Structure formats: C-alpha cells, structure tokens
C-alpha cells in the first residue's frame, strides 16, 4: 500500500510499518521513497517510521536529513526526531539539525 494512489493509504502504511519491527525492514526502501511524497502527512509518517527502525534504516539517514529543509514544519520536526533516535549513526547530520 505504500504506492497506493490515495495519500491516506500511504500514510497509514507508513504508520503500520513503523510499528512492526523486523518484519518491516524489507520495506524500508519504499518507505524512504515516500520522504519525497507530495503530501506532507505522508512525508512526516515516513520520517517517523524510519526513526523507529534504528540500524536497519541507517542507509536512509541522508534522505531523512534532507527533510530538515522541508517547507512544512511538521515534517522538519519529524526528521529531527527520527535523526535523534539514530544517535551516533546520525552524528554527521548534527550541523543540519542545529
């Protein structure tokens, strides 16, 4: 459902995958693609979902960091929180957060 035409379905798919641990890991690349979605709620949900997956989401930290410049405050906040959850792995993005 990450590729669904309805933004609400994409949003809920991100929410669900953020809560399902190891089972969701194979889908994190598709979640990361939604960081560029046209809908701010979907971008925010993608940030949050990736923030829940620790080391498995590390390849997507750069894409999360790009959302720090998002036009929408809620997305920027979610990107900050997601990077914060990644601790040392996200240290290279501290200047962008600050």
């Amino acid at each position: 459902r990450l590729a669904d035409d309805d933004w609400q379905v994409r949003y809920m798919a991100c929410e669900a995958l953020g809560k399902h641990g190891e089972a969701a890991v194979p889908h994190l690349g598709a979640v990361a693609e939604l960081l560029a979605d046209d809908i701010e709620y979907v971008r925010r949900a993608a940030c949050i979902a990736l923030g829940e997956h620790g080391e498995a989401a590390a390849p997507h930290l750069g894409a999360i960091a790009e959302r720090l410049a998002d036009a929408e405050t809620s997305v920027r906040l979610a990107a900050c929180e997601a990077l914060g959850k990644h601790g040392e792995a996200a240290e290279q993005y501290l200047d962008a957060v600050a």
Side-chain angles (χ1 to χ4, degrees):
R1 305 296 136 214
L2 292 170
D4 201 278
D5 289 337
D6 187 323
W7 73 264
Q8 294 173 344
V9 175
R10 297 191 306 276
Y11 169 84
M12 292 306 296
C14 284
E15 288 248 321
L17 290 169
K19 297 176 182 176
H20 284 283
E22 290 290 319
V25 170
H27 307 288
L28 296 183
V31 171
E33 290 178 17
L34 292 178
L35 291 168
D37 198 272
D38 291 338
I39 305 297
E40 81 173 90
Y41 303 111
V42 176
R43 296 192 307 273
R44 181 172 55 90
C47 284
I48 293 168
L50 292 168
E52 297 299 322
H53 285 284
E55 194 173 309
H60 309 294
L61 291 178
I64 295 169
E66 289 176 10
R67 297 287 43 115
L68 294 169
D70 198 278
E72 300 298 334
T73 301
S74 68
V75 178
R76 294 192 308 271
L77 290 169
C80 283
E81 184 175 349
L83 290 171
K85 288 184 175 186
H86 284 276
E88 289 182 18
E91 281 185 0
Q92 63 184 314
Y93 304 108
L94 287 179
D95 287 342
V97 170

